[in-house]
Amino acid sequence: MCVQVGKSSILPLEVCEVKPGQFCKSELTPDQTKKMVEFTSMSPNLRFQSIREGLPLLDHVNSEYVREFGISVEPDFVELNLRVLQPPRIRCFPDRDPRKSMITPGDGKWNMLNKKYFNAARISGFMVVIFENQRYFDDKVYKDMVKSFVGAAKDFGVAIDDPVPYVKWVMGRPEMSQLLKDTGRAYIEQKKKETGRQDQPGPSLILAVLPPSSQDLYNGVKRFGYIQMGLATQCLLSSKCRGANHQYWANIMLKVNAKLGGVNFVPDLALLSDPKQPTIIMGADAIHPPPGRQDKPSFTALVSSVDSMCAKYVASNGIQEGGQEMIANLQDMCKNALSKWKEHQDRVERKRVPPTQLFYFRDGVSEGEFQQVLDQELPKIKAACREQGFNPKITLIVVGKRHHHRGMTVNANDADRSQNIPAGATIDTGITHPVESDYYQYTHGGLLGTSRPAHYIPLYDENSMTADAMQALSFGLAHSFARATRSVSIPAPVYYADIVCTKRAIHFNPSSDLLGSDTASQVSGAAPPSLQAYRDAWAPINPRQSGVMYWMVRYLY
């Protein structure tokens, strides 16, 4: 075993002495990740207490470097005035009486009880594949599960033409593609016998019940549905769905409806109230290999709204050199997004007015890369618009999550139930740029630990947005995350782009082992795969799934 020192030097472990307390830039082990999460889940009071106790240990007062530069560090926290924005009302199923279709959030959340989805999808039929031991997940448990699923669908307006599914129990780790194809054929044959139809279609949804520690099964189901067949899938953990209550199935139905092309709810935003001013919202992100793995590529994603309410999104993704932050194929991604917008407007909403506003939210960009975004990404967005015959006014906003700002209320009565700063709190003075119009915003209600606001930095604004309008937009978009009946920590399109990036494994055949090949290469001494090898192995999303929000999976900040 050897130790890499610097970029190219390698020394035998026997001649090395490792000093404790060094900072290591590498991927955390599962145990280290668990301890990190436990540390970060401290309540605001405990966190600020630990900061007070840790400040003397830094001993800024006696630092010769601090004194020579004439810097002094005050021991007290900075107190700021902030304002709390009113949350947007949430629209559900359109009703003749608007009061019945509107919900006013409180503490960053709302209740969908006795409400229907804004646009409910339809399930023609579904099949259930259970990868759990039948003694644990028996026929009675299965029937109770299906009854609960069908009941939740009915409650929220999701129609199921055939509520009796085809079910199959599976043991072991079979070849997923062949298994699900055979199950689909069996579904069709069974339904032919029941209905007498010779043109019996296949199912529109697969429910897969998985045991714990089954990431390989999960990826196989997702790859079959979203890559091979263009079929919606919903994976369920056996320990969770066995005897689950209505709230569990309500959460599942939020994802199912979005995956099938439905819209769960829509925040009532003033920006979208004028039908003569169509708006497109985009979110973009890039995810990079862990430190020390620069031989692996970076993955990029762009999500973009296609409907007039900016609640339904489509995604594009790509692969590029590892560690490269600027999105290389952004122009092609934007062209695809704009064509999807035009197709939806023509075929679904029957509208012909071109977009007049485009808001581009960019995640994961550091301050030193702001100019690169303006020089490299903004021109690609404009070029894509020209190619599609559009000329919208563009506003570009960077959304930062990795910063060291933390806050708590001076008066405990002003905090939310988790002792955090309440959702809607916005800071645009005191700790922001003296000239630019950046701001910090708490868009979500606290759950665990100390809430972290997002930092919004407008880099380019052809729409001449006022501070109030821009802050209301970012807060409103945090209420449009389709998978939760609560506002989230960043605008939904940015959140979606992050999820699309993290689900890169379903695009690769498991037999290629590309995503895990870096370790094998180091052990064997073989050269790591090239970027072209990743691109050749990459399988795009099936066209039948490219127009829906297929990425509605279990993934939370």
Side-chain angles (χ1 to χ4, degrees), residues 239-377:
S239 58
K240 296 290 185 180
C241 67
R242 188 175 187 268
N245 58 22
H246 184 269
Q247 183 59 55
Y248 172 85
W249 292 109
N251 293 336
I252 292 296
M253 200 52 59
L254 287 170
K255 295 187 281 186
V256 169
N257 190 56
K259 291 175 182 179
L260 291 169
V263 176
N264 298 338
F265 44 77
V266 174
D268 190 26
L269 302 179
L271 182 72
L272 309 178
S273 61
D274 186 359
K276 296 181 180 179
Q277 300 286 329
T279 300
I280 294 178
I281 308 289
M282 291 182 173
D285 193 15
I287 187 170
H288 307 294
R293 296 290 184 268
Q294 294 306 311
D295 54 328
K296 298 179 68 174
S298 293
F299 297 88
T300 59
L302 175 83
V303 299
S304 181
S305 63
V306 295
D307 64 325
S308 297
M309 307 303 295
C310 296
K312 188 175 183 179
Y313 290 80
V314 296
S316 302
N317 45 23
I319 309 176
Q320 60 190 38
E321 291 289 345
Q324 177 183 325
E325 183 60 48
M326 297 303 108
I327 301 177
N329 62 334
L330 181 61
Q331 186 168 336
D332 292 335
M333 288 181 171
C334 287
K335 282 171 58 180
N336 176 65
L338 294 171
S339 65
K340 294 286 187 183
W341 182 89
K342 186 176 182 180
E343 179 182 350
H344 182 87
Q345 295 293 311
D346 289 344
R347 297 179 56 184
V348 179
E349 300 191 12
R350 307 293 182 183
K351 296 179 180 179
R352 299 292 188 271
V353 181
T356 60
Q357 303 176 110
L358 191 155
F359 293 88
Y360 178 73
F361 289 87
R362 183 62 161 90
D363 188 17
V365 180
S366 64
E367 185 175 353
E369 296 168 324
F370 288 173
Q371 192 60 47
Q372 295 180 49
V373 174
L374 293 173
D375 294 341
Q376 298 180 33
E377 294 193 356

Side-chain angles (χ1 to χ4, degrees), residues 147-169:
K147 181 180 179 181
S148 299
F149 175 79
V150 173
K154 181 180 179 181
D155 289 344
F156 296 107
V158 176
I160 302 181
D161 296 338
D162 184 358
V164 180
Y166 175 83
V167 60
K168 181 177 181 63
W169 274 267

Side-chain angles (χ1 to χ4, degrees), residues 331 335 378-388:
Q331 186 168 336
K335 282 171 58 180
L378 180 59
K380 294 177 181 178
I381 299 173
K382 291 184 174 181
C385 289
R386 288 194 300 268
E387 289 188 39
Q388 292 294 328

